[in-house]
Amino acid sequence: MRLSASSALLVAALLLSSCSSSSGPESLMAGLPSREITSSVIPAAPVPAASVAQPMAEPQGQPQEVLAWAGAAPEPQAFAPVATKVGMPLPSQRPIARLLPNNPASSGSTRSKVYGQRFQDAKPINFGKVRPKHYAVHGIDVSRWQGEMDWATLRSQGANFAYIKATDGGDHLDPMFKTNWKRAKDAGIRRGAYHFFYWCRAASDQADWFIRNVPRDPDALPPVIDVEYNGESSCKMRLSRARVQEKMQVFMDRLERHYGKRPVIYTAPDFYKDNLDGAFENYPFWLRAVAQHPSKVYPGRKWLFWQYSGSGLSQGVEGKIDLNVFNGTEDGWHNWVSRYAS
C-alpha cells in the first residue's frame, strides 16, 4: 500500500525526533564528554577525565627556564633617526647588530654593567677607614650549601663576579657546580671555579680531577686553588712549608697549562702565616680577612680579591653567603677581565 505525501513526512519527523547527538546542547547540559577532537591533536588513547576536586598533574618534560635578565629591556634603536650631512649616502640596509638587544651574558669587547652592592651582613664589622663599600666591584663565592639561587637577582644586588665550588681532593664534585656554572653565566655574572686542596692526595691527581670536571671556557675567570687548614677534614697531615709549596706548584702548573690562565691562590691567615708569607710573588692572591683589612692581616702582600664576610645576606639566596671585593676601580676590573674574554 502506498503512503500519501503527508504520511511520509510524518513518519520521517518521528524518526528524527528519536535520535540524539552526543555533542549537542542537551549532552553538554547533562555533563557528558564531547566526542569532538581538533584536527591537529589526535589522542592515541582515551583521555581520562580530570576530577574537579583534585588538581591536574604538571605535564612531563623539561620545565620552562625563566630568562635571567638583569635590568630593564633596552629600547629598540633599529629605527631611530640618524643625523646626516648634505650629500652623505644612506646605507641600503640597517646594520643587523642594531636590531639585537644587548646580551648580559655576552663578553668580548662589550663591558658588562657593574652593579653597586646592596648586600647586608648578619655580623657587620667596622673595618675602619678603608671599608668594603669603598671598593667598586663586589662579588660572591658559593657552593652546594647555598642551595638553589636566583642568579639574576644576585647580580642586581651586586654580585658582579662569582667563584663557584667545583671540586675538592681527587674524587669529589660539588653537586651544584654544573647548575651554578650555567646559571651564573646566563645571568651575565663573570664566574670562575675553585678547588679545595686536600693534602693527603697527590697534587697531579687533584689537578686532573679539576680539569675533568671544569670546562675550558674562554670567558671564565682564572681557576682558584683554595689552601687552608680544615679541622673537619679526615686528612690530619701537616706538611712542611716546602712540601706545601711544592704540591701547590704542581697543581697550579698543570691548571695553567690547560686553561691558559694563571691560577689565583685563596687562603686564610693562619695557613698563610705558616706556609705562604713571602712565597708565590708572581701569583694573584684572594685573601680571607673578616675582622680587619687585608693590609693589617697580610702585611706587604699584594692581593686581587678580599673575602670580607662569611655572613653576608642578599636577595636571591636563602641563608648566609660569602662576600668579596675586587682590589681596583671599575675600569681596573674591566681591564683585568678583558684578558680572559674571548
Side-chain angles (χ1 to χ4, degrees):
M1 187 174 56
R2 298 178 61 185
L3 295 175
S4 65
S6 59
S7 300
L9 290 174
L10 178 61
V11 172
L14 290 174
L15 290 174
L16 288 173
S17 64
S18 65
C19 299
S20 62
S21 170
S22 63
S23 59
E26 296 82 359
S27 65
L28 294 178
M29 292 293 291
L32 299 177
S34 170
R35 297 179 183 273
E36 293 181 353
I37 58 174
T38 65
S39 60
S40 60
V41 180
I42 301 176
V47 179
S51 171
V52 177
Q54 297 180 354
M56 294 184 67
E58 292 292 333
Q60 297 298 315
Q62 293 291 346
Q64 264 193 329
E65 189 171 297
V66 179
L67 292 179
W69 184 269
E75 294 295 328
Q77 302 295 321
F79 304 104
V82 179
T84 61
K85 297 180 181 179
V86 176
M88 176 180 176
L90 294 175
S92 58
Q93 294 181 345
R94 299 182 188 272
I96 294 177
R98 295 191 59 132
L99 300 176
L100 302 177
N102 293 328
N103 182 357
S106 65
S107 58
S109 59
T110 302
R111 291 187 170 193
S112 59
K113 178 179 178 180
V114 170
Y115 286 81
Q117 70 89 14
R118 300 179 182 179
F119 302 128
Q120 301 296 322
D121 202 322
K123 300 178 180 179
I125 296 293
N126 183 359
F127 288 98
K129 293 182 179 180
V130 183
R131 305 176 185 181
K133 69 177 184 179
H134 295 148
Y135 293 87
V137 183
H138 289 242
I140 58 176
D141 62 275
V142 301
S143 68
R144 63 181 297 182
W145 304 114
Q146 276 69 50
E148 292 281 342
M149 291 174 285
D150 183 339
W151 283 96
T153 297
L154 281 168
R155 186 188 182 208
S156 68
Q157 294 298 300
N160 298 291
F161 65 87
Y163 267 104
I164 301 170
K165 170 74 173 291
T167 55
D168 66 64
D171 55 8
H172 179 76
L173 173 68
D174 189 290
M176 286 296 294
F177 171 68
K178 293 181 179 179
T179 297
N180 289 335
W181 187 252
K182 179 183 184 300
R183 291 180 180 175
K185 185 171 185 176
D186 289 345
I189 297 176
R190 285 288 183 177
R191 85 282 195 255
Y194 76 88
H195 172 84
F196 192 91
F197 202 84
Y198 186 69
W199 299 103
C200 293
R201 190 75 180 254
S204 58
D205 291 347
Q206 298 188 60
D208 291 344
W209 179 245
F210 183 90
I211 290 170
R212 176 179 171 182
N213 288 285
V214 178
R216 185 160 50 185
D217 185 342
D219 289 336
L221 298 178
V224 166
I225 175 175
D226 179 344
V227 288
E228 55 185 297
Y229 293 131
N230 181 7
E232 298 180 0
S233 173
S234 59
C235 179
K236 306 301 181 183
M237 186 181 300
R238 288 292 183 96
L239 304 177
S240 67
R241 175 184 169 96
R243 182 61 175 152
V244 164
Q245 295 181 16
E246 179 186 358
K247 289 174 75 72
M248 289 177 61
Q249 193 70 69
V250 169
F251 181 89
M252 293 188 296
D253 285 349
R254 187 163 295 198
L255 263 61
E256 186 169 358
R257 285 194 300 269
H258 181 77
Y259 295 102
K261 303 168 185 179
R262 174 149 292 189
V264 176
I265 300 171
Y266 169 92
T267 194
D270 51 354
F271 189 91
Y272 176 86
K273 181 179 179 181
D274 291 345
N275 300 288
L276 301 177
D277 190 4
F280 298 115
E281 294 292 340
N282 295 324
Y283 283 81
F285 271 73
W286 174 11
L287 303 175
R288 177 177 174 84
V290 296
Q292 292 180 300
H293 190 271
S295 61
K296 296 181 179 181
V297 184
Y298 307 86
R301 170 61 68 178
K302 295 180 181 179
W303 55 274
L304 183 67
F305 295 112
W306 167 24
Q307 185 185 82
Y308 65 87
S309 176
S311 54
L313 303 172
S314 174
Q315 296 181 23
V317 61
E318 295 183 5
K320 299 175 183 177
I321 194 169
D322 292 341
L323 304 177
N324 306 268
V325 295
F326 169 78
N327 188 13
T329 64
E330 185 173 328
D331 284 340
W333 165 254
H334 288 304
N335 291 336
W336 183 73
V337 164
S338 66
R339 304 177 191 177
Y340 309 107
S342 59

